[in-house]
Amino acid sequence: MEKYINPWIKKIKQRPFNPQRPEGSVDLYIGENPYPPSPHVLKAIAAAAENINKYPDSAGDAVKEKLAAYTKANKEQIVIGNGSDDLIELMVKVFVKQKEKVIIPIPGYFSYWRSTKIRGGVPVFVNRKDNFELDIEKIVQADAKLVFIGSPNNPTGNIVSQEEIIEILEKMDCIIVVDECYFEFSQNTVIDLLQTYENLIVLRSLSKTFGLAGLRFGYAIAHPTLIQYFNKAIQMYPVNKLAQAAVISSLDDLEYLKANIQKICQEREVLTEKIGDLGFTVYPSETNFLLVRTEALNISGNEIVASLKSNNIFVQNIGLKPGLDAYYFKTAIGTKEENEILLKHLKQIVSNR
């Protein structure tokens, strides 16, 4: 069977699937929104399900019109997909040939290099500085077809300034993708730069902020010419009927979104302070998760994750991921009750050292 498989696919490490968590567990692993969509959105999903025997709108015109109003972009500048991961792979498919390079500042989102490898491209890692800021000098010196920049960045939680993005755009002749999937938490965007730079793409998602992770929806904003090429390469029905209905309804209920964002940000500040009080290093975050360093307590991230898991509390072990050593873990911001359970068990771990 091996002879039928593309050689670059053989080299890709299998990503572990996320198993179903036990009943009653505290799941802070992936970074989902702890709050469900609004009742209006749930009603819209139920109504759309009545016609689930019919294919969805392949163009997604109604969704794009809502997104255009929300982002102040033009409908012709928008492409939609089955989550941001789908669009990341689409971008690699459109721009990158086999053995061509894609620049990825690390630590960064794993899907950037996974999608690059799936398409036979070559991910080029550029280490961030000690404070996780971009090393722009090293980025602009690299030769590549495509650059992925998270802002806010996953897993570090920090933003990239518009001035830094402009510097990269001015000094590089390639496609620059700014991943703003956590925009609603940070309110930091470079969308206005699209009018000046035709090689800029802004990527977003409704999974984390709008609580639609289970439906999978992402979108990108770019020059209309780039969107035309995306539409040539995208699958026939990129977004299902239920997701389209949910997105339209969510964008009609922004007050519900703002209330949930406020609760999450308030809990984030409380959790940051209290985890820090235990002796951990907690990095400032403009997202719904926290990156935590454990070295000061002489305990690895893996030990923390394993101990919490034994109590049905799930956080992410990202130690030894590209750009990180063994002393890190990442936790989502849960509800107040979930965060208190996490803190209780972190205190126990520290006191037992």
Side-chain angles (χ1 to χ4, degrees):
M1 297 295 291
E2 293 291 317
K3 65 181 180 181
Y4 301 117
I5 310 301
N6 284 328
W8 55 89
I9 297 294
K10 293 179 183 179
K11 297 177 182 178
I12 298 174
K13 184 178 179 181
Q14 171 67 52
R15 184 194 176 202
F17 294 106
N18 295 317
Q20 187 72 32
R21 307 301 184 196
E23 186 72 26
S25 63
V26 176
D27 190 356
L28 304 173
Y29 183 88
I30 301 179
E32 298 143 319
N33 192 319
Y35 305 107
S38 77
H40 297 293
V41 174
L42 296 177
K43 288 180 181 178
I45 294 171
E50 294 180 2
N51 296 310
I52 204 67
N53 57 308
K54 301 294 185 180
Y55 283 107
D57 175 8
S58 60
D61 285 331
V63 176
K64 291 176 183 177
E65 288 175 2
K66 284 289 184 182
L67 288 170
Y70 177 63
T71 61
K72 306 296 189 294
N74 295 320
K75 177 182 167 184
E76 293 73 25
Q77 291 179 278
I78 297 172
V79 63
I80 60 176
N82 184 40
S84 61
D85 289 344
D86 182 35
L87 294 174
I88 290 168
E89 189 167 338
L90 175 66
M91 292 171 194
V92 177
K93 177 167 63 175
V94 170
F95 299 121
V96 181
K97 293 183 288 190
Q98 289 180 29
K99 298 184 179 180
E100 287 188 322
K101 297 176 181 178
V102 175
I103 295 176
I104 303 165
I106 55 172
Y109 183 40
F110 82 95
S111 192
Y112 304 151
W113 61 83
R114 183 175 181 273
S115 295
T116 299
K117 290 180 178 180
I118 286 173
R119 291 291 166 181
V122 180
V124 177
F125 293 149
V126 177
N127 283 299
R128 291 170 178 265
K129 298 178 181 179
D130 290 341
N131 57 3
F132 296 130
E133 291 183 359
L134 292 180
D135 192 330
I136 295 178
E137 183 177 352
K138 290 183 179 179
I139 290 174
V140 300
Q141 288 176 352
D143 178 36
K145 287 290 294 292
L146 183 61
V147 180
F148 284 109
I149 299 171
S151 182
N153 184 52
N154 182 4
T156 58
N158 59 318
I159 61 173
V160 179
S161 71
Q162 187 166 109
E163 290 73 22
E164 290 174 297
I165 298 298
I166 290 173
E167 183 177 355
I168 293 170
L169 286 163
E170 290 285 346
K171 293 182 177 180
M172 298 191 75
D173 183 19
C174 65
I175 297 294
I176 308 296
V177 180
V178 178
D179 184 343
E180 294 184 354
C181 284
Y182 297 91
F183 160 72
E184 282 78 11
F185 292 106
S186 71
Q187 293 297 308
N188 184 75
T189 184
V190 294
I191 279 184
D192 58 304
L193 297 182
L194 290 167
Q195 298 178 359
T196 305
Y197 299 97
E198 296 182 355
N199 58 326
L200 172 64
I201 300 172
V202 175
L203 176 66
R204 288 188 180 175
S205 166
L206 271 68
S207 297
K208 309 296 193 301
T209 50
F210 286 80
L212 299 178
L215 284 176
R216 312 301 300 126
F217 181 84
Y219 65 100
I221 310 170
H223 190 277
T225 300
L226 295 183
I227 298 299
Q228 289 175 10
Y229 284 109
F230 288 149
N231 288 334
K232 288 183 178 183
I234 204 166
Q235 58 179 298
M236 180 65 71
Y237 299 100
V239 178
N240 69 73
K241 185 184 291 285
L242 303 186
Q244 291 191 41
V247 170
I248 292 170
S249 183
S250 293
L251 293 171
D252 282 334
D253 198 3
L254 293 178
E255 290 305 313
Y256 181 87
L257 166 73
K258 292 175 183 177
N260 283 342
I261 294 290
Q262 184 178 26
K263 287 189 288 186
I264 292 169
C265 290
Q266 288 173 345
E267 281 298 309
R268 182 185 67 203
E269 300 314 307
V270 171
L271 201 58
T272 297
E273 180 179 354
K274 292 188 175 181
I275 293 178
D277 288 344
L278 295 175
F280 297 99
T281 301
V282 186
Y283 292 90
S285 175
E286 298 285 344
T287 68
N288 67 329
F289 63 78
L290 296 175
L291 178 66
V292 183
R293 183 161 175 79
T294 64
E295 185 181 26
L297 295 171
N298 194 30
I299 181 171
S300 71
N302 186 54
E303 290 177 272
I304 294 286
V305 171
S307 181
L308 291 172
K309 183 178 179 180
S310 68
N311 290 283
N312 281 339
I313 303 167
F314 296 89
V315 298
Q316 190 171 161
N317 175 26
I318 56 170
L320 301 179
K321 300 294 184 184
L324 296 171
D325 61 28
Y327 295 100
Y328 289 95
F329 73 91
K330 190 179 86 169
T331 179
I333 309 300
T335 63
K336 182 177 181 179
E337 294 73 22
E338 290 173 329
N339 297 335
E340 288 175 349
I341 293 171
L342 171 65
L343 284 168
K344 174 186 174 182
H345 286 277
L346 285 175
K347 288 177 183 177
Q348 291 177 354
I349 293 170
V350 172
S351 64
N352 291 335
R353 295 296 293 170

